[in-house]
Amino acid sequence: MTVPEHLAAGCPYPGRADAAPLYGPAVSDDPHGLYARLRAAHGPVAPIELEPGVEGWLVIGYQELLELTRNEQQFSKDSRYWRVPREGRLRPDSPLVPMTMWRPTLQSMDGAEHRRLSAAVGETLGRIDHRLLRETTEAAALALVESWGPDGTADLVAQFTRRLPLLVFTMLLDLPEEDGPQLLAMITGMVDSGAESQRAAAAFAGLLGRLVAERRARPGDDLVSWLLAHPAGLSDDEAVHNLVVLLVAGNESTINWIGNTVRLLLTDRRFRTSLTGGRATVADALDEVLWRDPPVQNFPGRWATSDTVLGGQYISAGDLLVLGLAGANDDPAAHGPEGLSGNRAHLAWGAGRHVCPAKDPARLIVETAVETLLHCLPDLQLAVPPHELTWRQSPWSRALVSLPVLYSSFTPPRPAAYDPAGQTQPAPLAPLTPFERTAWTPPPPRGSAPTGSTPPEPTSSPRTSGSALADLRRRLSSLAGWWSGR
């Protein structure tokens, strides 16, 4: 490769005094200002430090990020190319280790192995009935709101956004009821990154290992059984590691997306007025957040397999390149003449072959959660001035530390049907939950369509009573109550 003369005359990244730290308050308090300064000083690819003494590159150009994610021969997902740990410069206890270590997952693979694991995970997620997922999410949201105290105050981060995805995941895994609180405690311990995080991670892997072994022996109608039954033939170890990626990464992204969307609705008068006036929807707010404050603002990464040039910067073999998802969304080249409205060309989910496989169920969970919250608490408002809200100091997540709110009225999410026996039953035509152990019927092959007036085959049996939904709501209320100390 011929290196341009102006680059060859300079030095490669290590030791550059103009590298910006991608940690601390700069990246949490004013990330958009940071990305603008980096773009002005360095262009679409900027030198950074991920922690003191550990260098990298932040790709904040829209087209450059697309090039990075589409060229896996030059920019691999395999972190074993990274020269920093090979040179002994990564501490064993570095917080970068969990985010960059190689595992047998779709996140760490290229080529045929990535396609195999991606197909298994993507098609497993595709078996989730979206109508049933919406019902489950609504029940979880209602259970959480009902578990709050009577004083009309709540912290939406601690009491809603951090809990709702985990409640839904316990249902998707069809865990025994007594294992639900354990799962919630383990994932919370891992995400909090406290002194017990390593122990929580080991316990979580152990729980998933036991669950995989059980479903291998006795398959059911749940996410784990579907993954194990996929023709890709995942080993137990592959299944456990990919489930960890799905549950931990999916949990964190969903938490942040819910919180950032509610914050937008409560702090942006223009948007809140449009929403209540019927000129905008929660879906519009979700897209606004994905452009401006995506739940994952930066993501590692890609590793250069050989020396190259990207965005005018000389990249050495083994360098780490971080996907600046929020920064690339800020790139003026990404915005059309009409701005961001109605435009889903953002890079919040990544790009190329490694685009997030869970974006559709994640969107449904977040949209349902926000809609249910706003319906149940129509006068919801911030309990503090907007400028007092603080962000977690994370280079990866765009997440609020807390979101204190006030409310005075509660509206049930849907009318209940009257039962003469005195029991409240769900409204007619409520969908079957996916956790009733009914047989799953695959959809018809691609390209086939029902003829005449014959309706398409359903992917689950029709509901004949409200008992399953009532049981689901009871289980979710029990978990929410456990978490609230009741």
Side-chain angles (χ1 to χ4, degrees):
M1 182 193 71
T2 301
V3 179
E5 183 178 350
H6 74 284
L7 294 175
C11 61
Y13 172 77
R16 287 183 59 157
D18 56 351
L22 199 68
Y23 54 86
V27 74
S28 57
D29 295 350
D30 184 21
H32 299 287
L34 172 65
Y35 305 142
R37 291 190 297 274
L38 289 176
R39 182 175 289 108
H42 303 285
V45 179
I48 56 170
E49 275 195 335
L50 294 124
E51 65 181 26
V54 176
E55 72 276 4
W57 299 96
L58 183 64
V59 182
I60 52 177
Y62 189 90
Q63 291 301 325
E64 287 74 16
L65 196 144
L66 291 178
E67 179 181 348
L68 177 75
T69 55
R70 292 171 178 174
N71 186 354
E72 67 181 28
Q73 289 187 329
Q74 179 65 67
F75 303 109
S76 173
K77 281 289 291 181
D78 190 335
S79 62
R80 292 173 293 188
Y81 281 102
W82 196 13
R83 58 190 176 85
V84 168
R86 291 204 313 266
E87 295 168 1
R89 295 190 287 116
L90 187 67
R91 305 188 326 269
D93 62 346
S94 168
L96 296 174
V97 171
M99 294 295 296
T100 58
M101 68 180 294
W102 184 89
R103 300 178 181 90
T105 71
L106 73 167
Q107 279 192 342
S108 299
M109 301 288 196
D110 297 316
E113 275 302 286
H114 171 261
R115 290 192 292 274
R116 180 178 74 91
L117 295 175
S118 181
V121 171
E123 291 169 19
T124 294
L125 292 172
R127 292 182 66 165
I128 299 172
D129 187 314
H130 283 197
R131 189 171 62 133
L132 308 183
L133 182 60
R134 180 179 290 276
E135 184 74 37
T136 303
T137 303
E138 183 184 87
L142 177 61
L144 287 171
V145 173
E146 289 180 331
S147 74
W148 299 347
D151 61 352
T153 66
D155 176 0
L156 289 186
V157 170
Q159 296 176 259
F160 190 78
T161 69
R162 295 204 70 82
R163 299 180 179 185
L164 183 138
L166 297 184
L167 293 180
V168 175
F169 291 157
T170 62
M171 300 294 103
L172 287 174
L173 296 175
D174 197 18
L175 282 175
E177 190 165 348
E178 61 272 16
D179 286 345
Q182 296 182 56
L183 176 71
L184 302 181
M186 290 170 188
I187 297 185
T188 301
M190 293 171 61
V191 172
D192 285 349
S193 300
E196 297 296 313
S197 62
Q198 293 297 326
R199 184 178 301 177
F204 183 48
L207 183 148
L208 289 178
R210 293 190 296 274
L211 186 62
V212 165
E214 176 190 331
R215 298 297 158 78
R216 181 79 75 181
R218 292 179 294 278
D221 185 31
D222 59 85
L223 202 66
V224 178
S225 299
W226 298 342
L227 184 62
L228 294 173
H230 191 274
L234 271 65
S235 68
D236 286 5
D237 190 48
E238 287 176 329
V240 168
H241 280 288
N242 281 281
L243 285 169
V244 169
V245 168
L246 275 177
L247 295 175
V248 176
N251 177 68
E252 186 71 7
S253 298
T254 306
I255 287 169
N256 301 344
W257 197 5
I258 295 172
N260 295 353
T261 300
V262 175
R263 170 190 167 273
L264 174 69
L265 295 173
L266 296 183
T267 60
D268 188 325
R269 185 180 299 275
R270 168 191 57 85
F271 209 96
R272 182 66 180 263
T273 301
S274 295
L275 183 68
T276 56
R279 294 186 299 277
T281 65
V282 168
D284 297 323
L286 299 182
D287 290 327
E288 178 95 357
V289 166
L290 290 179
W291 272 107
R292 184 66 178 169
D293 286 307
V296 178
Q297 57 179 339
N298 301 301
F299 190 79
R302 297 293 192 274
W303 286 266
T305 59
S306 61
D307 294 352
T308 189
V309 173
L310 179 68
Q313 299 284 11
Y314 178 76
I315 310 296
S316 297
D319 277 1
L320 166 61
L321 298 101
V322 174
L323 279 65
L325 304 176
N329 283 349
D330 273 349
D331 188 347
H335 303 164
E338 298 180 358
L340 309 182
S341 178
N343 184 346
R344 292 189 180 179
H346 57 75
L347 297 175
W349 302 116
R353 296 182 186 274
H354 285 270
V355 67
C356 176
K359 61 182 186 300
D360 292 335
R363 186 181 189 94
L364 180 57
I365 291 171
V366 174
E367 185 169 1
T368 303
V370 175
E371 287 178 344
T372 304
L373 181 71
L374 294 178
H375 183 85
C376 289
L377 307 174
D379 64 347
L380 192 69
Q381 59 183 300
L382 278 181
V384 298
H387 68 269
E388 291 186 9
L389 297 175
T390 58
W391 299 90
R392 283 168 49 193
Q393 290 191 12
S394 168
W396 319 120
S397 296
R398 183 62 171 161
L400 289 164
V401 173
S402 65
L403 187 58
V405 295
L406 302 171
Y407 60 93
S408 62
S409 61
F410 173 81
T411 303
R414 62 175 60 185
Y418 174 70
D419 178 12
Q423 300 294 322
T424 299
Q425 299 292 340
L429 304 180
L432 184 70
T433 73
F435 317 110
E436 298 176 274
R437 295 284 185 182
T438 57
W440 179 82
T441 304
R446 289 183 181 275
S448 63
T451 57
S453 60
T454 304
E457 289 294 323
T459 58
S460 59
S461 305
R463 175 179 295 280
T464 56
S465 74
S467 60
L469 182 59
D471 181 64
L472 170 66
R473 288 175 174 166
R474 180 191 61 78
R475 291 184 62 187
L476 289 167
S477 294
S478 175
L479 284 171
W482 167 85
W483 212 338
S484 300
R486 291 192 286 109

